[in-house]
Amino acid sequence: MTHPKEATARKPLPRFDEAEGLGPSDAAFVRDLVEVLEKHGNLDRFGLSLLHDHFPLAPDEVMVETNDSVRRTLHAHVEKRRQTRHVKPSQWRFAPHGTEPAEGGSYQVVMLCDPLDLCPGREGHHP
């Protein structure tokens, strides 16, 4: 017999080269998603990203995004969740019903950014 927690366990994300992007078979899904975003006034606030892994993260780690608008570069690296000073989530992963994400909602933060450091919006800053 399968334990309820095991039944809703997250499968690992695919590696980038194995992840399937949006295609013609996703047209109805995208239309439905656009309708929900419009209904809640979020069409210009949220979009889609391809969930994938380049390498495994420990439960106490998070990806952190920084950029340099002068050099027009974007960087991602791993930090410990409790030690990072980057505090603004910029990417989320939906949590299936029946799971308990660390954030306590129906999503999990997968990437953080700090607008006071090198995140989008800090014009003219470079290291």
Side-chain angles (χ1 to χ4, degrees), residues 5-106:
K5 284 256 188 212
E6 292 172 10
T8 59
R10 309 290 308 254
K11 64 179 183 177
L13 293 175
R15 294 191 48 82
F16 180 76
D17 57 337
E18 299 168 337
E20 183 181 347
L22 284 175
S25 65
D26 298 306
F29 157 71
V30 173
R31 273 193 308 275
D32 291 349
L33 185 56
V34 167
E35 286 178 18
V36 170
L37 290 169
E38 281 181 323
K39 175 182 174 182
H40 294 278
N42 287 321
L43 190 57
D44 293 325
R45 183 174 172 209
F46 297 109
L48 293 173
S49 65
L50 181 63
L51 295 178
H52 63 279
D53 275 338
H54 290 282
F55 42 80
L57 291 178
D60 67 336
E61 295 176 327
V62 66
M63 290 295 295
V64 173
E65 145 185 59
T66 59
N67 81 345
D68 181 333
S69 60
V70 172
R71 293 186 181 113
R72 298 179 64 193
T73 59
L74 179 66
H75 304 276
H77 63 277
V78 178
E79 291 185 8
K80 295 291 186 182
R81 284 185 186 269
R82 294 188 185 268
Q83 295 173 348
T84 184
R85 58 188 189 82
H86 297 83
V87 296
K88 185 173 184 176
S90 62
Q91 292 184 22
W92 303 264
R93 180 180 184 187
F94 298 118
H97 296 292
T99 60
E100 297 179 26
E103 288 78 21
S106 56

